[in-house]
Structure formats: structure tokens, C-alpha cells
């Protein structure tokens, strides 16, 4: 297996977020200074969007349309028609920086709902920018959000816990206490596990359908990097110089030894493919590696990038790996057997 350069492009600043459209035809990237760029997957042909005057924070593609949402330090969520590169609407959430965006999964039905978080405020927005529902403020600043894959609820984290908000009736389904800061949230694709990466540093797992929860500590640094494989078997985490792979089958990972995937510098990103079992990891020395967890020798490929990655994102068909970098370069690498 090998990773080869497909194309690359230079943004004006640090790549703060990037992601692929649902049909895989376009890659969107946000520079921390504010502008957005749309790239054609085939050849890297570029269209620039003005983005956010005071700086961009996040972006999210609609799960079935060429509609892009972006959030910025101008306290606005902006909506963009990627087929025409036109701004189609804006919304505000609590008057604070928009720090987190996530569309409700398409599998949950025809409703297009965007969850947007700013400070302690959370809202559900419609695709035209109108507000569907505004929730009561969280106890502390919202630090992460994640839709349940089935689309029934949204998990929202803050210092002190996680709340599951019903997607249709907007009530709090459950609340989980956690007495520390939470940096990241991810659901397993089978909806069984909800996982947080934490400040303490640790990883915490809840089984929302039960009262069970599990805890893995001993990380070198706070855990911001989380990714599940397509089968909900493996949970990949950062939080140190090695990426960790936890077996989440059966009774779960607590008490099991993780598989350690070594780097020579701190891991800064992890991302499993959507349809296949390859894991991509990146470290602060610029190295990007591919792994097959089921193999006795899991390492499949290594490439050395000029600068460290900020984000990793697989295209929907898993053919391309997008790498955002600290120096503002977006690399698209082709993955070939």
C-alpha cells in the first residue's frame, strides 16, 4: 500500500478545518484567518469564498447536498451553495464565536438539521439559516458535539458532563456527569458507545442504553484525537507519542491492553476510513502513517510531510486522504494498494 501526492494547494493561514462533500466531488478547507476554499477532487481546481472576516473555526457539509456550513469568530454560521459558490444565508447562536458544527445524519430521515454551538449556547438550524430550536445555555462552554449515527440525539459536552438532546422533541434524554474538561466526542457507528477524550488526560466511554461506563487513563497528554472504525470494533486515540487502538467488542476495552502504534513524535490526528479498515495517523514531526489493525504487522505505509498535520479526512470512497497542515498547505494523497 502507498500514499502518493494527487495535488496540493496553499491557503493563507493554518488549516483549521477541512472536509469532503457527501458525493466526494469537492473538498472544503478553512484557513484560521477566515477564508474558505473549495477544491475539485479530480484536479484541485479551486474556488475561494470570503468566509469569515474575523477568522474561521469550523465547517460542515450537508449529508446529501452540495451545501456547506461554516462557523467563525464573527459569531455567524454561514451557508454556501458549493455548486454556485454563493452565500445563501447566515445565522447567529448566542452572539459568540461559532466553535462547533454538525449536520444530523442523512440516515435519520429527510430533515436537514445543523447543530451549532457557540460558548454556552446550542441551537438547531435549518438549511436556509432559520432557527429550528434554541436550547437552554449549558453550565459551561460547550467543548464538543456529536450526533448519534442513528440521528436520534445530539451529544453536547462541557466541563462537568455530557447531555444527550433529543433531535425531534428537544428534551434532555440523559445527562452524564464527568468531573473534568472534555475535548472531543465520538459515537461508535453501531450507536453503542459514546466516547470522550479528556483534559485529565484520559478516555471515557459510556453505554447510553445502560448505566455502564468505562475509563482509560495513563495518557501522556490531553486526548483530542478519536476515531472509530466502520465496524465499531476499534477505537483509535491520540494523547501521546503512540496512537492507541482499543478493542470495543464484547464487554468493551476496560481491562484490555491496547495495541500501540508508534510514532517518533506526539500524535496529532487519527482517522479511520469510511468503508474499509485502514487507519491514518499523523504526528508532530510531519509523519503520516497507514495501519491495518487486524494484521500481525499493522504498518502499511509511511510518508513524511514537510510540516505537521492539523486535520486528516478520508474521501467518502476512501481513495483519497486530505491532510491539512500548520503552514496552510492542503495535501490530497491517493491511497493505492
Amino acid at each position: 500500500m502507498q500514499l502518493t501526492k494527487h495535488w496540493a494547494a496553499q491557503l493563507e493561514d493554518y488549516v483549521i478545518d477541512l472536509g469532503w462533500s457527501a458525493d466526494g466531488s469537492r473538498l472544503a478547507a478553512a484557513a484560521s484567518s477566515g477564508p474558505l476554499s473549495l477544491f475539485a477532487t479530480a484536479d484541485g481546481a479551486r474556488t475561494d469564498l470570503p468566509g469569515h472576516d474575523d477568522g474561521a473555526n469550523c465547517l460542515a457539509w450537508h449529508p446529501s447536498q452540495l451545501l456547506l456550513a461554516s462557523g467563525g469568530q464573527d459569531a455567524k454560521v454561514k451557508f454556501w451553495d458549493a455548486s454556485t459558490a454563493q452565500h445563501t444565508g447566515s445565522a447567529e447562536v448566542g452572539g459568540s464565536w461559532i466553535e462547533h458544527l454538525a449536520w444530523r445524519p442523512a440516515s435519520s430521515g429527510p430533515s436537514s438539521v445543523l447543530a451549532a454551538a457557540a460558548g454556552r449556547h446550542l441551537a438547531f438550524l435549518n438549511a436556509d439559516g432559520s432557527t429550528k430550536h434554541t436550547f437552554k445555555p449549558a453550565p459551561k462552554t460547550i467543548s464538543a458535539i456529536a450526533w448519534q449515527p442513528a440521528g436520534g440525539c445530539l451529544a453536547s459536552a462541557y466541563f462537568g458532563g455530557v447531555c444527550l438532546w433529543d433531535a425531534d422533541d428537544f428534551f434532555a434524554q440523559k445527562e452524564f456527569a464527568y468531573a473534568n474538561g472534555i475535548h472531543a466526542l465520538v459515537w461508535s457507528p453501531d450507536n453503542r458507545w459514546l466516547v470522550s477524550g479528556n483534559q485529565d488526560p484520559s478516555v471515557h466511554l459510556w453505554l447510553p442504553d445502560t448505566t455502564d461506563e468505562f475509563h482509560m487513563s495513563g495518557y501522556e497528554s490531553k486526548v483530542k484525537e478519536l476515531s472509530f472504525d466502520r465496524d465499531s470494533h476499534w477505537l483509535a486515540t491520540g494523547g501521546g507519542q503512540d496512537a492507541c487502538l482499543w478493542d470495543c467488542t464484547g464487554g468493551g476495552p476496560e481491562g484490555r491492553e491496547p495495541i500501540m502504534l508508534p510514532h517518533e513524535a506526539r500524535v496529532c490526528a487519527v482517522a479511520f476510513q469510511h468503508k474499509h479498515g485502514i487507519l491514518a495517523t499523523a504526528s508532530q514531526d510531519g509523519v503520516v502513517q497507514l495501519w491495518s489493525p487486524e494484521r500481525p504487522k499493522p504498518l502499511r505505509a509511511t510518508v513524511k510531510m514537510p510540516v505537521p498535520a492539523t486535520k486528516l479526512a478520508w474521501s467518502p470512497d476512501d481513495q483519497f486522504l486530505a491532510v491539512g497542515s500548520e503552514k496552510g498547505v492542503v495535501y490530497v494523497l491517493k491511497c493505492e494498494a
Side-chain angles (χ1 to χ4, degrees):
M1 180 167 285
Q2 61 181 356
L3 287 171
T4 57
K5 180 180 174 182
H6 185 49
W7 51 262
Q10 177 71 55
L11 305 189
E12 71 173 39
D13 206 345
Y14 182 100
V15 181
I16 199 163
D17 205 0
L18 81 172
W20 299 87
S21 60
D23 65 0
S25 67
R26 292 167 175 83
L27 176 73
S32 60
S33 54
L36 311 176
S37 296
L38 300 175
F39 300 97
T41 301
D43 58 7
R46 177 174 182 168
T47 302
D48 290 322
L49 306 175
H52 300 266
D53 291 341
D54 299 324
N57 291 329
C58 51
L59 53 78
W61 283 99
H62 189 281
S64 60
Q65 302 174 24
L66 283 175
L67 177 64
L68 179 70
S70 62
Q73 296 176 25
D74 54 5
K76 287 181 170 53
V77 179
K78 293 187 176 182
F79 297 84
W80 312 87
D81 182 340
S83 62
T84 62
Q86 295 298 308
H87 175 224
T88 61
S90 296
E92 292 192 12
V93 181
S96 302
W97 289 9
I98 308 298
E99 297 179 282
H100 309 284
L101 295 173
W103 288 96
R104 188 179 184 183
S107 59
S108 61
S111 177
S112 296
V113 177
L114 178 71
R120 296 168 56 213
H121 301 280
L122 174 68
F124 286 172
L125 306 176
N126 296 310
D128 62 3
S130 61
T131 300
K132 187 177 184 69
H133 185 78
T134 299
F135 294 86
K136 67 179 182 180
K140 301 285 186 181
T141 297
I142 295 171
S143 55
I145 60 175
W147 281 101
Q148 180 193 45
C153 66
L154 177 87
S156 174
Y158 49 86
F159 190 102
V162 178
C163 184
L164 302 187
W165 294 105
D166 189 273
D168 299 305
D169 297 325
F170 315 127
F171 64 87
Q173 293 181 351
K174 288 189 176 183
E175 294 188 59
F176 304 113
Y178 189 75
N180 209 285
I182 294 173
H183 289 293
L185 285 176
V186 68
W187 287 86
S188 59
D190 63 2
N191 304 286
R192 184 185 181 204
W193 300 99
L194 174 62
V195 183
S196 67
N198 309 314
Q199 175 76 27
D200 10 20
S202 70
V203 170
H204 200 82
L205 298 91
W206 290 273
L207 286 167
D209 288 340
T210 73
T211 58
D212 295 334
E213 53 188 271
F214 305 92
H215 191 75
M216 286 94 75
S217 58
Y219 285 87
E220 298 170 20
S221 60
K222 54 192 174 185
V223 182
K224 295 183 176 182
E225 307 85 16
L226 301 171
S227 183
F228 264 104
D229 77 338
R230 70 197 189 286
D231 297 325
S232 305
H233 182 161
W234 297 107
L235 169 68
T237 69
Q241 190 165 307
D242 299 332
C244 295
L245 276 177
W246 297 95
D247 185 346
C248 291
T249 58
E254 192 174 56
R256 295 175 173 174
E257 288 295 321
I259 296 173
M260 308 302 287
L261 306 177
H263 279 265
E264 295 185 358
R266 188 180 68 81
V267 171
C268 55
V270 298
F272 268 108
Q273 290 181 321
H274 302 287
K275 300 177 181 179
H276 303 90
I278 298 296
L279 172 68
T281 61
S283 53
Q284 286 290 343
D285 57 359
V287 169
V288 175
Q289 295 183 313
L290 299 184
W291 311 84
S292 292
E294 76 283 356
R295 293 188 171 217
K297 294 183 179 180
L299 183 61
R300 302 294 302 279
T302 300
V303 294
K304 181 69 164 65
M305 311 300 288
V307 290
T310 59
K311 295 282 182 177
L312 296 176
W314 288 100
S315 61
D317 61 5
D318 295 335
Q319 290 189 39
F320 301 103
L321 177 66
V323 182
S325 75
E326 292 183 356
K327 297 295 185 181
V329 183
V330 175
Y331 300 93
V332 172
L333 308 178
K334 189 170 185 179
C335 180
E336 298 177 300

